[in-house]
PDB file of all heavy atoms in Angstrom:
ATOM      1  N   GLU A  23      -1.392   0.617 -13.029  1.00  0.00           N
ATOM      2  CA  GLU A  23      -2.431   0.958 -12.145  1.00  0.00           C
ATOM      3  C   GLU A  23      -2.284   2.463 -11.754  1.00  0.00           C
ATOM      4  O   GLU A  23      -1.260   2.836 -11.197  1.00  0.00           O
ATOM      5  CB  GLU A  23      -2.347   0.157 -10.893  1.00  0.00           C
ATOM      6  CG  GLU A  23      -2.490  -1.316 -11.152  1.00  0.00           C
ATOM      7  CD  GLU A  23      -2.341  -2.176  -9.845  1.00  0.00           C
ATOM      8  OE1 GLU A  23      -2.606  -1.662  -8.751  1.00  0.00           O
ATOM      9  OE2 GLU A  23      -1.814  -3.315 -10.016  1.00  0.00           O
ATOM     10  N   PRO A  24      -3.253   3.267 -12.079  1.00  0.00           N
ATOM     11  CA  PRO A  24      -3.137   4.746 -11.844  1.00  0.00           C
ATOM     12  C   PRO A  24      -2.744   5.077 -10.411  1.00  0.00           C
ATOM     13  O   PRO A  24      -1.901   5.949 -10.194  1.00  0.00           O
ATOM     14  CB  PRO A  24      -4.486   5.236 -12.169  1.00  0.00           C
ATOM     15  CG  PRO A  24      -5.060   4.320 -13.173  1.00  0.00           C
ATOM     16  CD  PRO A  24      -4.516   2.970 -12.746  1.00  0.00           C
ATOM     17  N   ALA A  25      -3.327   4.396  -9.359  1.00  0.00           N
ATOM     18  CA  ALA A  25      -2.986   4.728  -8.007  1.00  0.00           C
ATOM     19  C   ALA A  25      -1.514   4.400  -7.699  1.00  0.00           C
ATOM     20  O   ALA A  25      -0.826   5.159  -6.971  1.00  0.00           O
ATOM     21  CB  ALA A  25      -3.951   4.004  -7.071  1.00  0.00           C
ATOM     22  N   LEU A  26      -1.069   3.257  -8.200  1.00  0.00           N
ATOM     23  CA  LEU A  26       0.367   2.848  -7.996  1.00  0.00           C
ATOM     24  C   LEU A  26       1.249   3.841  -8.665  1.00  0.00           C
ATOM     25  O   LEU A  26       2.316   4.243  -8.104  1.00  0.00           O
ATOM     26  CB  LEU A  26       0.533   1.445  -8.486  1.00  0.00           C
ATOM     27  CG  LEU A  26       1.867   0.784  -8.194  1.00  0.00           C
ATOM     28  CD1 LEU A  26       2.125   0.653  -6.737  1.00  0.00           C
ATOM     29  CD2 LEU A  26       2.004  -0.528  -8.902  1.00  0.00           C
ATOM     30  N   LEU A  27       0.933   4.238  -9.889  1.00  0.00           N
ATOM     31  CA  LEU A  27       1.814   5.180 -10.595  1.00  0.00           C
ATOM     32  C   LEU A  27       1.822   6.551  -9.930  1.00  0.00           C
ATOM     33  O   LEU A  27       2.890   7.193  -9.868  1.00  0.00           O
ATOM     34  CB  LEU A  27       1.364   5.279 -12.060  1.00  0.00           C
ATOM     35  CG  LEU A  27       1.463   3.981 -12.828  1.00  0.00           C
ATOM     36  CD1 LEU A  27       0.864   4.159 -14.252  1.00  0.00           C
ATOM     37  CD2 LEU A  27       2.890   3.477 -12.964  1.00  0.00           C
ATOM     38  N   ALA A  28       0.694   6.976  -9.413  1.00  0.00           N
ATOM     39  CA  ALA A  28       0.638   8.270  -8.713  1.00  0.00           C
ATOM     40  C   ALA A  28       1.470   8.209  -7.425  1.00  0.00           C
ATOM     41  O   ALA A  28       2.157   9.123  -7.082  1.00  0.00           O
ATOM     42  CB  ALA A  28      -0.828   8.617  -8.365  1.00  0.00           C
ATOM     43  N   ALA A  29       1.348   7.050  -6.692  1.00  0.00           N
ATOM     44  CA  ALA A  29       2.154   6.940  -5.450  1.00  0.00           C
ATOM     45  C   ALA A  29       3.650   6.911  -5.767  1.00  0.00           C
ATOM     46  O   ALA A  29       4.469   7.506  -4.992  1.00  0.00           O
ATOM     47  CB  ALA A  29       1.771   5.641  -4.731  1.00  0.00           C
ATOM     48  N   ALA A  30       4.040   6.300  -6.919  1.00  0.00           N
ATOM     49  CA  ALA A  30       5.415   6.292  -7.302  1.00  0.00           C
ATOM     50  C   ALA A  30       5.909   7.755  -7.602  1.00  0.00           C
ATOM     51  O   ALA A  30       6.977   8.093  -7.190  1.00  0.00           O
ATOM     52  CB  ALA A  30       5.641   5.402  -8.502  1.00  0.00           C
ATOM     53  N   ALA A  31       5.107   8.492  -8.310  1.00  0.00           N
ATOM     54  CA  ALA A  31       5.421   9.891  -8.633  1.00  0.00           C
ATOM     55  C   ALA A  31       5.620  10.740  -7.350  1.00  0.00           C
ATOM     56  O   ALA A  31       6.472  11.653  -7.413  1.00  0.00           O
ATOM     57  CB  ALA A  31       4.324  10.510  -9.490  1.00  0.00           C
ATOM     58  N   GLU A  32       4.948  10.355  -6.306  1.00  0.00           N
ATOM     59  CA  GLU A  32       5.035  11.166  -5.011  1.00  0.00           C
ATOM     60  C   GLU A  32       6.304  10.696  -4.186  1.00  0.00           C
ATOM     61  O   GLU A  32       6.573  11.303  -3.195  1.00  0.00           O
ATOM     62  CB  GLU A  32       3.808  10.984  -4.179  1.00  0.00           C
ATOM     63  CG  GLU A  32       2.545  11.588  -4.825  1.00  0.00           C
ATOM     64  CD  GLU A  32       1.275  11.274  -4.021  1.00  0.00           C
ATOM     65  OE1 GLU A  32       1.368  10.726  -2.904  1.00  0.00           O
ATOM     66  OE2 GLU A  32       0.197  11.602  -4.527  1.00  0.00           O
ATOM     67  N   ASN A  33       6.901   9.588  -4.578  1.00  0.00           N
ATOM     68  CA  ASN A  33       8.035   9.007  -3.828  1.00  0.00           C
ATOM     69  C   ASN A  33       9.240   8.718  -4.657  1.00  0.00           C
ATOM     70  O   ASN A  33       9.732   7.583  -4.731  1.00  0.00           O
ATOM     71  CB  ASN A  33       7.592   7.653  -3.141  1.00  0.00           C
ATOM     72  CG  ASN A  33       6.488   7.917  -2.134  1.00  0.00           C
ATOM     73  OD1 ASN A  33       6.776   8.458  -1.043  1.00  0.00           O
ATOM     74  ND2 ASN A  33       5.264   7.541  -2.451  1.00  0.00           N
ATOM     75  N   PRO A  34       9.807   9.756  -5.353  1.00  0.00           N
ATOM     76  CA  PRO A  34      10.972   9.470  -6.191  1.00  0.00           C
ATOM     77  C   PRO A  34      12.121   8.997  -5.353  1.00  0.00           C
ATOM     78  O   PRO A  34      12.384   9.487  -4.218  1.00  0.00           O
ATOM     79  CB  PRO A  34      11.267  10.864  -6.780  1.00  0.00           C
ATOM     80  CG  PRO A  34      10.498  11.876  -6.028  1.00  0.00           C
ATOM     81  CD  PRO A  34       9.401  11.131  -5.359  1.00  0.00           C
ATOM     82  N   GLY A  35      12.809   7.975  -5.933  1.00  0.00           N
ATOM     83  CA  GLY A  35      13.996   7.437  -5.235  1.00  0.00           C
ATOM     84  C   GLY A  35      13.581   6.513  -4.015  1.00  0.00           C
ATOM     85  O   GLY A  35      14.489   5.974  -3.328  1.00  0.00           O
ATOM     86  N   GLY A  36      12.296   6.193  -3.815  1.00  0.00           N
ATOM     87  CA  GLY A  36      11.837   5.394  -2.729  1.00  0.00           C
ATOM     88  C   GLY A  36      11.233   4.077  -3.225  1.00  0.00           C
ATOM     89  O   GLY A  36      11.752   3.434  -4.160  1.00  0.00           O
ATOM     90  N   SER A  37      10.155   3.736  -2.585  1.00  0.00           N
ATOM     91  CA  SER A  37       9.423   2.495  -2.996  1.00  0.00           C
ATOM     92  C   SER A  37       7.941   2.688  -2.761  1.00  0.00           C
ATOM     93  O   SER A  37       7.564   3.578  -1.964  1.00  0.00           O
ATOM     94  CB  SER A  37       9.968   1.320  -2.202  1.00  0.00           C
ATOM     95  OG  SER A  37       9.762   1.479  -0.845  1.00  0.00           O
ATOM     96  N   VAL A  38       7.146   1.826  -3.285  1.00  0.00           N
ATOM     97  CA  VAL A  38       5.763   1.875  -3.145  1.00  0.00           C
ATOM     98  C   VAL A  38       5.256   0.461  -2.807  1.00  0.00           C
ATOM     99  O   VAL A  38       5.587  -0.520  -3.519  1.00  0.00           O
ATOM    100  CB  VAL A  38       4.986   2.354  -4.438  1.00  0.00           C
ATOM    101  CG1 VAL A  38       3.490   2.345  -4.289  1.00  0.00           C
ATOM    102  CG2 VAL A  38       5.469   3.733  -4.856  1.00  0.00           C
ATOM    103  N   ALA A  39       4.564   0.338  -1.677  1.00  0.00           N
ATOM    104  CA  ALA A  39       4.195  -0.995  -1.202  1.00  0.00           C
ATOM    105  C   ALA A  39       2.924  -1.458  -1.850  1.00  0.00           C
ATOM    106  O   ALA A  39       2.035  -0.672  -2.234  1.00  0.00           O
ATOM    107  CB  ALA A  39       3.921  -0.901   0.360  1.00  0.00           C
ATOM    108  N   GLU A  40       2.846  -2.726  -2.153  1.00  0.00           N
ATOM    109  CA  GLU A  40       1.692  -3.403  -2.606  1.00  0.00           C
ATOM    110  C   GLU A  40       0.991  -4.020  -1.451  1.00  0.00           C
ATOM    111  O   GLU A  40       1.556  -4.947  -0.830  1.00  0.00           O
ATOM    112  CB  GLU A  40       2.058  -4.475  -3.665  1.00  0.00           C
ATOM    113  CG  GLU A  40       0.861  -5.192  -4.169  1.00  0.00           C
ATOM    114  CD  GLU A  40       1.256  -6.333  -5.210  1.00  0.00           C
ATOM    115  OE1 GLU A  40       2.444  -6.668  -5.278  1.00  0.00           O
ATOM    116  OE2 GLU A  40       0.337  -6.844  -5.774  1.00  0.00           O
ATOM    117  N   ILE A  41      -0.142  -3.533  -1.093  1.00  0.00           N
ATOM    118  CA  ILE A  41      -0.880  -3.964   0.100  1.00  0.00           C
ATOM    119  C   ILE A  41      -1.968  -5.007  -0.280  1.00  0.00           C
ATOM    120  O   ILE A  41      -2.725  -4.821  -1.229  1.00  0.00           O
ATOM    121  CB  ILE A  41      -1.555  -2.731   0.801  1.00  0.00           C
ATOM    122  CG1 ILE A  41      -0.415  -1.761   1.234  1.00  0.00           C
ATOM    123  CG2 ILE A  41      -2.398  -3.163   2.045  1.00  0.00           C
ATOM    124  CD1 ILE A  41      -0.926  -0.439   1.698  1.00  0.00           C
ATOM    125  N   ASP A  42      -2.028  -6.029   0.516  1.00  0.00           N
ATOM    126  CA  ASP A  42      -3.039  -7.087   0.314  1.00  0.00           C
ATOM    127  C   ASP A  42      -4.340  -6.659   0.969  1.00  0.00           C
ATOM    128  O   ASP A  42      -4.420  -6.627   2.201  1.00  0.00           O
ATOM    129  CB  ASP A  42      -2.542  -8.357   0.975  1.00  0.00           C
ATOM    130  CG  ASP A  42      -3.384  -9.592   0.676  1.00  0.00           C
ATOM    131  OD1 ASP A  42      -4.600  -9.344   0.269  1.00  0.00           O
ATOM    132  OD2 ASP A  42      -2.963 -10.702   0.788  1.00  0.00           O
ATOM    133  N   PRO A  43      -5.353  -6.296   0.202  1.00  0.00           N
ATOM    134  CA  PRO A  43      -6.623  -5.828   0.803  1.00  0.00           C
ATOM    135  C   PRO A  43      -7.390  -6.834   1.631  1.00  0.00           C
ATOM    136  O   PRO A  43      -8.260  -6.452   2.381  1.00  0.00           O
ATOM    137  CB  PRO A  43      -7.374  -5.309  -0.426  1.00  0.00           C
ATOM    138  CG  PRO A  43      -6.859  -6.183  -1.549  1.00  0.00           C
ATOM    139  CD  PRO A  43      -5.458  -6.394  -1.231  1.00  0.00           C
ATOM    140  N   THR A  44      -7.058  -8.077   1.524  1.00  0.00           N
ATOM    141  CA  THR A  44      -7.794  -9.096   2.317  1.00  0.00           C
ATOM    142  C   THR A  44      -7.402  -9.101   3.775  1.00  0.00           C
ATOM    143  O   THR A  44      -8.071  -9.708   4.600  1.00  0.00           O
ATOM    144  CB  THR A  44      -7.516 -10.552   1.741  1.00  0.00           C
ATOM    145  OG1 THR A  44      -6.139 -10.838   1.881  1.00  0.00           O
ATOM    146  CG2 THR A  44      -7.984 -10.639   0.281  1.00  0.00           C
ATOM    147  N   HIS A  45      -6.296  -8.387   4.138  1.00  0.00           N
ATOM    148  CA  HIS A  45      -5.793  -8.415   5.488  1.00  0.00           C
ATOM    149  C   HIS A  45      -6.083  -7.121   6.258  1.00  0.00           C
ATOM    150  O   HIS A  45      -5.743  -6.946   7.439  1.00  0.00           O
ATOM    151  CB  HIS A  45      -4.352  -8.672   5.610  1.00  0.00           C
ATOM    152  CG  HIS A  45      -3.996 -10.056   5.037  1.00  0.00           C
ATOM    153  ND1 HIS A  45      -4.540 -11.244   5.495  1.00  0.00           N
ATOM    154  CD2 HIS A  45      -3.094 -10.463   4.141  1.00  0.00           C
ATOM    155  CE1 HIS A  45      -4.053 -12.257   4.863  1.00  0.00           C
ATOM    156  NE2 HIS A  45      -3.183 -11.793   4.017  1.00  0.00           N
ATOM    157  N   ILE A  46      -6.616  -6.092   5.523  1.00  0.00           N
ATOM    158  CA  ILE A  46      -6.863  -4.803   6.205  1.00  0.00           C
ATOM    159  C   ILE A  46      -8.214  -4.203   5.750  1.00  0.00           C
ATOM    160  O   ILE A  46      -8.688  -4.526   4.686  1.00  0.00           O
ATOM    161  CB  ILE A  46      -5.734  -3.745   5.909  1.00  0.00           C
ATOM    162  CG1 ILE A  46      -5.654  -3.616   4.327  1.00  0.00           C
ATOM    163  CG2 ILE A  46      -4.426  -4.216   6.420  1.00  0.00           C
ATOM    164  CD1 ILE A  46      -4.812  -2.340   3.980  1.00  0.00           C
ATOM    165  N   ASP A  47      -8.744  -3.335   6.582  1.00  0.00           N
ATOM    166  CA  ASP A  47      -9.940  -2.656   6.223  1.00  0.00           C
ATOM    167  C   ASP A  47      -9.725  -1.319   5.579  1.00  0.00           C
ATOM    168  O   ASP A  47     -10.556  -0.897   4.768  1.00  0.00           O
ATOM    169  CB  ASP A  47     -10.777  -2.460   7.496  1.00  0.00           C
ATOM    170  CG  ASP A  47     -11.285  -3.746   8.097  1.00  0.00           C
ATOM    171  OD1 ASP A  47     -11.401  -4.707   7.411  1.00  0.00           O
ATOM    172  OD2 ASP A  47     -11.445  -3.807   9.334  1.00  0.00           O
ATOM    173  N   ASP A  48      -8.660  -0.635   5.963  1.00  0.00           N
ATOM    174  CA  ASP A  48      -8.468   0.751   5.484  1.00  0.00           C
ATOM    175  C   ASP A  48      -7.014   0.893   5.138  1.00  0.00           C
ATOM    176  O   ASP A  48      -6.096   0.984   5.936  1.00  0.00           O
ATOM    177  CB  ASP A  48      -8.761   1.718   6.648  1.00  0.00           C
ATOM    178  CG  ASP A  48      -8.499   3.173   6.280  1.00  0.00           C
ATOM    179  OD1 ASP A  48      -8.238   3.465   5.106  1.00  0.00           O
ATOM    180  OD2 ASP A  48      -8.539   4.012   7.198  1.00  0.00           O
ATOM    181  N   PRO A  49      -6.699   0.954   3.793  1.00  0.00           N
ATOM    182  CA  PRO A  49      -5.307   1.014   3.337  1.00  0.00           C
ATOM    183  C   PRO A  49      -4.651   2.300   3.665  1.00  0.00           C
ATOM    184  O   PRO A  49      -3.462   2.472   3.658  1.00  0.00           O
ATOM    185  CB  PRO A  49      -5.369   0.863   1.786  1.00  0.00           C
ATOM    186  CG  PRO A  49      -6.792   1.255   1.467  1.00  0.00           C
ATOM    187  CD  PRO A  49      -7.656   0.870   2.685  1.00  0.00           C
ATOM    188  N   ASP A  50      -5.437   3.361   4.124  1.00  0.00           N
ATOM    189  CA  ASP A  50      -4.818   4.594   4.563  1.00  0.00           C
ATOM    190  C   ASP A  50      -4.623   4.587   6.059  1.00  0.00           C
ATOM    191  O   ASP A  50      -4.104   5.562   6.644  1.00  0.00           O
ATOM    192  CB  ASP A  50      -5.749   5.751   4.186  1.00  0.00           C
ATOM    193  CG  ASP A  50      -5.880   5.870   2.661  1.00  0.00           C
ATOM    194  OD1 ASP A  50      -4.816   5.701   2.000  1.00  0.00           O
ATOM    195  OD2 ASP A  50      -6.978   6.170   2.135  1.00  0.00           O
ATOM    196  N   GLY A  51      -5.036   3.548   6.780  1.00  0.00           N
ATOM    197  CA  GLY A  51      -4.872   3.403   8.196  1.00  0.00           C
ATOM    198  C   GLY A  51      -3.666   2.555   8.479  1.00  0.00           C
ATOM    199  O   GLY A  51      -2.718   2.450   7.683  1.00  0.00           O
ATOM    200  N   TYR A  52      -3.589   1.916   9.645  1.00  0.00           N
ATOM    201  CA  TYR A  52      -2.488   1.110  10.021  1.00  0.00           C
ATOM    202  C   TYR A  52      -2.452  -0.190   9.138  1.00  0.00           C
ATOM    203  O   TYR A  52      -3.487  -0.804   8.908  1.00  0.00           O
ATOM    204  CB  TYR A  52      -2.630   0.652  11.487  1.00  0.00           C
ATOM    205  CG  TYR A  52      -1.580  -0.348  11.876  1.00  0.00           C
ATOM    206  CD1 TYR A  52      -0.231  -0.012  12.035  1.00  0.00           C
ATOM    207  CD2 TYR A  52      -1.922  -1.691  12.074  1.00  0.00           C
ATOM    208  CE1 TYR A  52       0.707  -0.927  12.380  1.00  0.00           C
ATOM    209  CE2 TYR A  52      -1.004  -2.682  12.413  1.00  0.00           C
ATOM    210  CZ  TYR A  52       0.308  -2.244  12.568  1.00  0.00           C
ATOM    211  OH  TYR A  52       1.316  -3.191  12.876  1.00  0.00           O
ATOM    212  N   VAL A  53      -1.300  -0.465   8.601  1.00  0.00           N
ATOM    213  CA  VAL A  53      -1.092  -1.674   7.791  1.00  0.00           C
ATOM    214  C   VAL A  53      -0.016  -2.497   8.472  1.00  0.00           C
ATOM    215  O   VAL A  53       1.157  -2.108   8.522  1.00  0.00           O
ATOM    216  CB  VAL A  53      -0.651  -1.262   6.357  1.00  0.00           C
ATOM    217  CG1 VAL A  53      -0.379  -2.518   5.533  1.00  0.00           C
ATOM    218  CG2 VAL A  53      -1.708  -0.387   5.705  1.00  0.00           C
ATOM    219  N   PRO A  54      -0.371  -3.666   9.005  1.00  0.00           N
ATOM    220  CA  PRO A  54       0.614  -4.565   9.584  1.00  0.00           C
ATOM    221  C   PRO A  54       1.646  -5.038   8.560  1.00  0.00           C
ATOM    222  O   PRO A  54       1.224  -5.228   7.378  1.00  0.00           O
ATOM    223  CB  PRO A  54      -0.182  -5.726  10.176  1.00  0.00           C
ATOM    224  CG  PRO A  54      -1.414  -5.747   9.418  1.00  0.00           C
ATOM    225  CD  PRO A  54      -1.680  -4.295   8.969  1.00  0.00           C
ATOM    226  N   PRO A  55       2.861  -5.330   8.925  1.00  0.00           N
ATOM    227  CA  PRO A  55       3.860  -5.783   7.931  1.00  0.00           C
ATOM    228  C   PRO A  55       3.372  -7.021   7.163  1.00  0.00           C
ATOM    229  O   PRO A  55       3.742  -7.177   5.943  1.00  0.00           O
ATOM    230  CB  PRO A  55       5.114  -6.137   8.777  1.00  0.00           C
ATOM    231  CG  PRO A  55       4.905  -5.374  10.091  1.00  0.00           C
ATOM    232  CD  PRO A  55       3.430  -5.272  10.288  1.00  0.00           C
ATOM    233  N   GLU A  56       2.618  -7.920   7.754  1.00  0.00           N
ATOM    234  CA  GLU A  56       2.107  -9.096   7.075  1.00  0.00           C
ATOM    235  C   GLU A  56       1.127  -8.854   5.919  1.00  0.00           C
ATOM    236  O   GLU A  56       0.929  -9.660   5.081  1.00  0.00           O
ATOM    237  CB  GLU A  56       1.504 -10.097   8.056  1.00  0.00           C
ATOM    238  CG  GLU A  56       2.427 -10.583   9.128  1.00  0.00           C
ATOM    239  CD  GLU A  56       2.457  -9.703  10.376  1.00  0.00           C
ATOM    240  OE1 GLU A  56       1.896  -8.598  10.396  1.00  0.00           O
ATOM    241  OE2 GLU A  56       3.107 -10.151  11.381  1.00  0.00           O
ATOM    242  N   ALA A  57       0.588  -7.657   5.953  1.00  0.00           N
ATOM    243  CA  ALA A  57      -0.353  -7.232   4.914  1.00  0.00           C
ATOM    244  C   ALA A  57       0.297  -6.663   3.623  1.00  0.00           C
ATOM    245  O   ALA A  57      -0.320  -6.416   2.625  1.00  0.00           O
ATOM    246  CB  ALA A  57      -1.412  -6.262   5.420  1.00  0.00           C
ATOM    247  N   ILE A  58       1.622  -6.472   3.666  1.00  0.00           N
ATOM    248  CA  ILE A  58       2.374  -5.908   2.524  1.00  0.00           C
ATOM    249  C   ILE A  58       2.868  -7.093   1.713  1.00  0.00           C
ATOM    250  O   ILE A  58       3.646  -7.893   2.220  1.00  0.00           O
ATOM    251  CB  ILE A  58       3.482  -5.015   3.036  1.00  0.00           C
ATOM    252  CG1 ILE A  58       2.938  -3.892   3.842  1.00  0.00           C
ATOM    253  CG2 ILE A  58       4.335  -4.564   1.830  1.00  0.00           C
ATOM    254  CD1 ILE A  58       4.065  -2.974   4.534  1.00  0.00           C
TER     255      ILE A  58
END
């Protein structure tokens, strides 16, 4: 997935969260822990 790969490139040595879009309206806004 291009967006996931780009996020990984921006976070070397870290992690990239997979967000469940059914639980949030804006993935760039607040994401509750249960939506990850």
Side-chain angles (χ1 to χ4, degrees):
E23 298 175 32
L26 186 63
L27 298 174
E32 294 174 8
N33 295 288
S37 61
V38 178
E40 179 183 12
I41 299 170
D42 186 342
T44 61
H45 298 307
I46 59 165
D47 295 332
D48 179 8
D50 296 322
Y52 173 72
V53 178
E56 296 90 350
I58 300 172

